[in-house]
Amino acid sequence: MNPIEATSQITQHLHPLISDLGLILMTAAVAVLLFKKIRQPLVLGYLIAGFLAGPNFIFFPSVQEINSIEVWAEIGVIFLLFSLGLEFSFKKLMKVGGTAAITALFQITTMIVLGYLVGQWMGWSLMDSIFLGAILSMSSTTIILRAFDELNVKGKKFAGIVFGTLIIEDIVAILLMVLLSTIAVSKQFSGMELFESVLKLFFFLILWFVGGIFFIPTLLKKAKNLFNEETLLIISIALCLMMVILATKAGFSPALGAFIMGSIIAETIHSERIEHLIKPVKDLFGAVFFVSVGMLINPNTLVEYAVPVVVITLITIFGKSISTMFGALIAGQPLKQSVQSGMSLAQIGEFSFIIATLGMTLKVTSDFVYPIIVAVSAVTTFTTPFMIKIALPVYERLIKILPKKLIDAIDRYSVNSQSVKTTSNWQIVLKAKLSQIVVHSVIIIAIIILSDRYIIPMTESSKFGNAAAALVTSIIIAPFLWALSFRKVAVEQIEALQKAGKHRGPIMVLILIRISLGIFFIGFLLDNFLSPWIAFVALIAAISVYLLFPKKLNTLYNKIELHFFRNFNDREISQAQKKRSDLTPWDGHMAFFEITKESNLAGKALNELEIRENMGINIAFIKRGGITINIPDGNERVFPGDEICVIGTDDQVQIFKSYLDQNEIEVPELVQETAIILKQVELENEEFIGKSIRKSQLREKTNGLIVGIERNEKRILNPNSDIILEKNDILWIVGNEKLLTAFFEK
């Protein structure tokens, strides 16, 4: 073939791909302008634009090759998941409380079961029904964020539950994608196969996370002087695609690799800058993905399956609202916040499309499933703002029609669930030991596998090649083996348990498990590389080395661990997530704001501002640099950069926010977790009974502030200092955890 013919063939091959991309972007551009004008979510506009420009709609120009749509859709998924990973962050997952976890898992489980049963009831195949359940279990972060912004409810108490639930849903979606892929490929539902898939997923998640945090932030820091916007963008996309390749080679979907790399970069000091640079790429390929999704809709299928669309839409709206509400109630949230959370999550979104695309790509779901899901998503996108708006009227209606005994029971359960709980020493020890075993085992196994695959082939031609490979591998895993077997963790908690004579047997068992695993890994390594007798002698020698040089191994491991945590903690999460404590079952909660340099309030004393008198809220603490001023008095002044924590109801906090805005304050900044807690105490001490709050001097004695009193089923939020304390009053006090615990439990 001569060069001219080759060039002509390449041009013919590229032309449909490029022309189809042009068509996709033109339809996306029209959608952006139109839906911006009518103030509707862009995702919905992309779907409709794709539908009109798709091969199934003859009135507009359409794509020439269906394969082009699939190619651009797959690229779109990769960048969409990468951007979601940048917003995800493992630290956010670690900070998600039990409320969000219980709510999310209850909702997801319920919707998977409900979706499966509905699919079977409609006569769908087994795989269609399973995928339907997984699709319905995921909500849309994009749509919810847009709706919260438009309705100005991000500062509301229930928003924290919703955001936490979405974080859990993201990680469960990744797990579901792996499980569904396993089921689709094997065509079986073997419990052992599913267990192996989950085990494999967690193995690689831990390995990628630990390795990624250890190396990638270091790379970015070393090269920071070379970075401009162009180089940082290229490096970010290169890292994303590198992880996509690794995930694919490990047997996972490309989307998983993109998501993992995004979440690793989210922990670096460059995360905000990278997220800013990636946003245009995400918007571009996100539009490509959603337009491509719309192009795959067949109007004839929608007409034929109109009834399933209606049924699944109703199941999505009511099923997700009710299941989320019950999940939040089980987690100990008040009825009001539970209803608001449930009605906010009543839609399907990004991960639903990705799971539906997975079923279509693997050719295990019917052709009608995809367009039905798109139609349901379009309807629930429209209904989401409406559902959020009517949540409060629905709650007020429930209060009227539900029995008073049931309402009181929910309130009592909520109060008991939200009371401050301490973590026992045994729980801390168990968590530390198990984390140590799992993480180090994963690292050691990964190093042995990599050595077997890459080091042995390089040395096998040599006479002592295997011995050299075994020696190199042993040196690499030495600090991790020592940490697995002998490194002390949770020392203070173990000493406390030993003094109390508790859990001595289980602690000894955990120590023996660690040492046994260390010996097993050494034996496994040597047996793979050497003959049994030589391996046995080498095992004894290796164990001797570990016992003779503990200090050097400890020093080496500490350097490795210090490097990891330095990278992990480079990016502070002071602006990553609003931390709040709940004064349940009331509307009172903690909210955080920052005093900016442009604020007219800067330099003024608190008694001049009369915040409590005018707005009914208390200031719990002021954080100024590395100093925290707990329960500030009226003479304390506020300065630019101060982070202040206030306690009040949703309405009071909203009034305070407006007050700050009027004084040129910026939008509330998100701050880091502090030692300030809300503690519930039943008043039994005769020293305080019959005295006013002021005369009781509880503030002076505990450095705490009484922000709520529950008395004879009545509740007083931010009580006046002249209120007389009575026996059996339930006091809600905000203050330093150690001081409050020491005072009331002495």
Side-chain angles (χ1 to χ4, degrees):
M1 183 183 298
N2 60 49
I4 296 176
E5 289 177 347
T7 305
S8 175
Q9 195 169 33
I10 292 171
T11 305
Q12 289 173 4
H13 174 69
L14 287 177
H15 180 263
L17 193 65
I18 295 173
S19 62
D20 290 342
L21 176 61
L23 179 61
I24 289 172
L25 293 180
M26 280 191 292
T27 56
V30 173
V32 167
L33 296 174
L34 179 59
F35 277 72
K36 278 279 188 182
K37 180 71 175 176
I38 62 176
R39 300 181 63 82
Q40 292 298 321
L42 295 182
V43 171
L44 185 60
Y46 293 145
L47 293 174
I48 294 174
F51 169 68
L52 295 176
N56 298 306
F57 202 85
I58 61 174
F59 298 103
F60 294 97
S62 62
V63 295
Q64 297 180 30
E65 290 187 5
I66 195 70
N67 291 336
S68 299
I69 301 176
E70 295 173 358
V71 169
W72 290 117
E74 188 169 358
I75 295 173
V77 167
I78 288 171
F79 285 104
L80 185 63
L81 266 292
F82 182 54
S83 63
L84 286 175
L86 285 171
E87 298 168 4
F88 173 77
S89 166
F90 282 97
K91 281 186 179 179
K92 285 184 181 179
L93 180 62
M94 293 164 61
K95 293 294 184 181
V96 167
T99 295
I102 293 170
T103 303
L105 294 176
F106 184 86
Q107 181 268 126
I108 290 168
T109 304
T110 303
M111 291 308 297
I112 288 175
V113 173
L114 190 58
Y116 171 79
L117 294 176
V118 169
Q120 291 290 285
W121 173 72
M122 293 189 298
W124 290 13
S125 70
L126 187 62
M127 292 304 298
D128 287 344
S129 301
I130 292 172
F131 270 82
L132 177 63
I135 288 166
L136 297 187
S137 65
M138 297 294 113
S139 299
S140 173
T141 304
T142 305
I143 294 169
I144 290 172
L145 285 175
R146 173 66 180 262
F148 278 11
D149 280 336
E150 290 178 350
L151 299 174
N152 196 27
V153 295
K154 272 191 174 181
K156 298 288 186 179
K157 189 176 174 183
F158 73 91
I161 305 170
V162 173
F163 292 141
T165 302
L166 289 170
I167 290 171
I168 299 295
E169 282 189 0
D170 285 347
I171 201 68
V172 172
I174 296 297
L175 176 61
L176 282 176
M177 288 168 63
V178 173
L179 293 179
L180 291 171
S181 298
T182 303
I183 294 171
V185 172
S186 65
K187 304 291 185 182
Q188 296 177 358
F189 300 90
S190 165
M192 185 53 66
E193 272 195 54
L194 294 180
F195 176 74
E196 288 175 0
S197 297
V198 173
L199 200 62
K200 180 182 176 183
L201 173 64
F202 279 105
F203 176 85
F204 279 102
L205 283 177
I206 293 170
L207 181 62
W208 287 334
F209 172 69
V210 173
I213 293 298
F214 190 84
F215 291 109
I216 290 174
T218 304
L219 169 68
L220 295 177
K221 281 188 288 186
K222 294 287 185 184
K224 66 180 180 180
N225 293 331
L226 305 175
F227 285 155
N228 55 27
E229 291 192 350
E230 180 183 359
T231 54
L232 192 57
L233 176 63
I234 291 170
I235 289 171
S236 304
I237 293 176
L239 289 171
C240 169
L241 296 179
M242 178 196 73
M243 188 61 80
V244 165
I245 295 169
L246 290 176
T248 306
K249 286 192 173 183
F252 298 111
S253 70
L256 172 63
F259 183 82
I260 293 299
M261 181 51 69
S263 60
I264 291 171
I265 292 177
E267 307 299 344
T268 69
I269 56 176
H270 298 283
S271 58
E272 288 89 354
R273 191 177 172 192
I274 291 173
E275 190 174 349
H276 173 72
L277 292 174
I278 287 291
K279 189 177 184 304
V281 180
K282 177 200 78 171
D283 292 342
L284 171 64
F285 285 103
V288 169
F289 171 68
F290 287 113
V291 171
S292 301
V293 168
M295 286 182 170
L296 295 173
I297 302 174
N298 190 329
N300 295 327
T301 303
L302 290 181
V303 173
E304 183 180 352
Y305 292 92
V307 173
V309 168
V310 173
V311 170
I312 295 172
T313 299
L314 294 175
I315 291 294
T316 300
I317 293 173
F318 292 102
K320 297 198 78 169
S321 296
I322 295 171
S323 61
T324 305
M325 181 187 73
F326 275 106
L329 287 173
I330 292 170
Q333 287 300 310
L335 181 60
K336 179 181 178 181
Q337 281 71 47
S338 299
V339 172
Q340 290 175 310
S341 302
M343 298 185 74
S344 299
L345 290 162
Q347 76 289 123
I348 57 176
E350 300 84 5
F351 272 111
S352 301
F353 289 131
I354 293 166
I355 292 172
T357 304
L358 177 67
M360 187 176 63
T361 304
L362 296 172
K363 302 188 186 305
V364 293
T365 54
S366 303
D367 293 338
F368 59 79
V369 174
Y370 201 85
I372 287 175
I373 296 307
V374 173
V376 172
S377 174
V379 175
T380 54
T381 297
F382 272 125
T383 59
T384 295
F386 175 73
M387 295 290 287
I388 296 171
K389 285 179 183 177
I390 66 168
L392 200 54
V394 168
Y395 160 73
E396 292 169 351
R397 180 64 178 165
L398 285 174
I399 290 293
K400 293 178 181 178
I401 63 176
L402 291 177
K404 188 176 185 303
K405 287 185 177 180
L406 179 59
I407 300 295
D408 292 341
I410 292 173
D411 284 352
R412 284 194 300 271
Y413 176 74
S414 179
V415 169
N416 294 332
S417 299
Q418 296 297 321
S419 297
V420 176
K421 299 180 179 70
T422 58
T423 305
S424 69
N425 286 330
W426 169 242
Q427 289 174 314
I428 295 172
V429 170
L430 186 62
K431 182 180 178 181
K433 296 281 187 184
L434 291 179
S435 299
Q436 188 178 39
I437 290 170
V438 171
V439 172
H440 291 100
S441 295
V442 167
I443 294 172
I444 292 166
I445 292 169
I447 292 172
I448 293 173
I449 292 172
L450 290 172
S451 177
D452 184 58
R453 182 166 295 183
Y454 296 107
I455 297 180
I456 285 183
M458 291 189 294
T459 59
E460 60 185 358
S461 59
S462 172
K463 184 178 179 181
F464 300 103
N466 282 3
L471 179 62
V472 170
T473 309
S474 299
I475 292 171
I476 295 172
I477 66 173
F480 304 107
L481 273 171
W482 179 86
L484 170 64
S485 304
F486 302 112
R487 189 168 187 271
K488 295 179 180 180
V489 293
V491 177
E492 294 180 4
Q493 288 77 15
I494 290 176
E495 288 178 356
L497 290 173
Q498 287 175 340
K499 285 181 182 178
K502 295 179 179 180
H503 303 289
R504 288 179 178 175
I507 291 174
M508 184 58 65
V509 169
L510 287 172
I511 292 172
L512 291 175
I513 289 173
R514 291 171 56 199
I515 295 173
S516 301
L517 276 172
I519 295 172
F520 168 78
F521 285 130
I522 296 173
F524 176 72
L525 166 67
L526 297 174
D527 186 55
N528 268 6
F529 289 80
L530 306 169
S531 63
W533 282 107
I534 297 176
F536 179 74
V537 173
L539 174 63
I540 302 300
I543 293 173
S544 302
V545 170
Y546 286 110
L547 294 174
L548 289 172
F549 302 102
K551 289 185 178 179
K552 289 187 176 180
L553 290 171
N554 182 33
T555 302
L556 180 58
Y557 178 80
N558 284 339
K559 287 182 180 178
I560 295 171
E561 187 180 61
L562 180 63
H563 180 80
F564 174 84
F565 280 110
R566 188 180 291 129
N567 283 349
F568 186 61
N569 294 317
D570 264 346
R571 181 194 177 197
E572 295 298 329
I573 54 172
S574 61
Q575 297 183 359
Q577 181 182 10
K578 182 178 289 185
K579 293 296 294 179
R580 62 177 73 226
S581 296
D582 296 332
L583 191 62
T584 54
W586 305 324
D587 288 335
H589 63 282
M590 286 183 174
F592 301 86
F593 301 87
E594 180 177 344
I595 305 297
T596 63
K597 62 182 180 180
E598 298 86 4
S599 175
N600 297 325
L601 307 181
K604 294 184 179 179
L606 296 180
N607 53 18
E608 291 179 61
L609 301 177
E610 297 184 334
I611 293 172
R612 178 170 181 167
E613 292 78 359
N614 294 332
M615 284 163 273
I617 64 172
N618 280 303
I619 295 181
F621 64 82
I622 299 174
K623 187 176 180 183
R624 185 173 297 150
I627 301 171
T628 300
I629 304 166
N630 295 327
I631 322 300
D633 60 31
N635 296 320
E636 189 61 50
R637 296 179 181 275
V638 293
F639 295 98
D642 281 356
E643 294 168 341
I644 61 175
C645 170
V646 301
I647 296 178
T649 64
D650 283 337
D651 292 336
Q652 289 169 339
V653 170
Q654 190 63 37
I655 292 170
F656 183 66
K657 177 183 177 300
S658 300
Y659 171 70
L660 295 180
D661 290 338
Q662 291 168 6
N663 285 276
E664 300 181 12
I665 285 288
E666 293 180 351
V667 177
E669 295 291 336
L670 312 177
V671 300
Q672 200 170 349
E673 184 177 5
T674 73
I676 294 294
I677 63 165
L678 278 169
K679 187 174 182 66
Q680 179 192 21
V681 178
E682 186 171 354
L683 190 61
E684 296 177 343
N685 194 325
E686 297 291 339
E687 179 185 351
F688 305 116
I689 296 171
K691 295 182 180 179
S692 67
I693 293 176
R694 182 186 295 111
K695 291 183 179 179
S696 70
Q697 294 192 313
L698 272 170
R699 174 169 178 160
E700 290 75 11
K701 294 176 180 178
T702 67
N703 198 24
L705 180 67
I706 298 176
V707 295
I709 299 177
E710 186 170 0
R711 176 184 298 166
N712 299 326
E713 299 184 357
K714 293 182 179 179
R715 301 172 190 128
I716 308 168
L717 183 64
N718 294 326
N720 191 288
S721 56
D722 294 326
I723 287 183
I724 304 298
L725 299 175
E726 299 180 4
K727 189 173 183 180
N728 298 325
D729 278 353
I730 296 176
L731 307 181
W732 284 88
I733 305 179
V734 62
N736 182 276
E737 182 176 11
K738 291 184 179 179
L739 293 177
L740 290 176
T741 302
F743 183 82
F744 284 103
E745 296 183 5
K746 64 183 179 180

